[in-house]
Amino acid sequence: MKNTKFLMAAAIVAIATFVAIAADHIDAPAVQGGTSDITDFYAFQGENTSNIAFVANVQGLLGSGSDTQNAAFDENVLIEFNIDNTGDNVEDLVIQAIARDGKMYVFGPTAPSQTGLNSTIASNATNQLSVDITPYGQSAIVESSGGMMAFAGPRDDPFFMDFAQYGQIIAGNATSFNNPGADTFAGTNVLSVVIEVPKSAIGGSGTINTWVESKRRQ
């Protein structure tokens, strides 16, 4: 794949350790509802405890049916997982994912050619694979290579938030959330990129900082 420069279009979502959940369903007007809009970021130990999984969800609040059926990954948007394994809050490794012609191409973990806002696709990375993007309503398509696994496609929004009760708390009409609460995101979908890699490919002393960015081609 041709090396292409990308510029960050959405802000950093989270910095976390091996177990992390972050969500950002309400964004600034510049990215809200757009194809580069990140809704969730997850990083957690895999079922195989020697692995770590990274999940980025984009294009949130997709309704079931044609809304999700017609949604697609933007081929001009690079999803980049950043990994700092030295504690200086600068990415030492990146895992990049970008869609092309019905497939998601994954590169890394690999050292970035540059850090910060600009990125170039690491097409020469030793670790790389491609996976067919799973169509809506079909069983997950997963590919693996060299200990790395990847999935891309629509999934039910996993984040739970009771925005109505949150509004009541902010307004001073309530002091806490209900148990159980009402899931504002029930029945909505996202487009997910899931990448699982061996911890040995990440390095570090057992704790990492990790965050995800979406970057639009310039």
Side-chain angles (χ1 to χ4, degrees), residues 7 73 164:
L7 180 66
F73 289 100

Side-chain angles (χ1 to χ4, degrees), residues 119-175:
S119 291
T120 300
I121 293 178
S123 57
N124 294 323
T126 301
N127 306 312
Q128 55 182 279
L129 61 78
S130 65
V131 58
D132 288 339
I133 295 171
T134 299
Y136 178 49
Q138 295 191 18
S139 299
I141 301 170
V142 178
E143 292 291 344
S144 61
S145 176
M148 179 168 63
M149 296 186 293
F151 161 86
R155 280 297 178 261
D156 178 76
D157 192 329
F159 189 73
F160 186 101
M161 177 64 180
D162 188 341
F163 266 115
Q165 185 67 8
Y166 174 75
Q168 291 298 310
I169 294 171
I170 294 298
N173 299 324
T175 59

Side-chain angles (χ1 to χ4, degrees), residues 18 50-54 81-86 92-95 108-110 127 195-210:
F18 272 133
S50 295
N51 293 350
I52 180 171
F54 299 91
F81 299 93
N82 296 270
I83 301 160
D84 161 32
N85 58 24
T86 59
D92 300 294
L93 298 169
V94 295
I95 302 172
T110 188
N127 306 312
I195 301 167
E196 185 170 326
V197 300
K199 291 179 183 176
S200 59
I202 300 299
S205 60
T207 299
I208 62 170
N209 296 322
T210 180

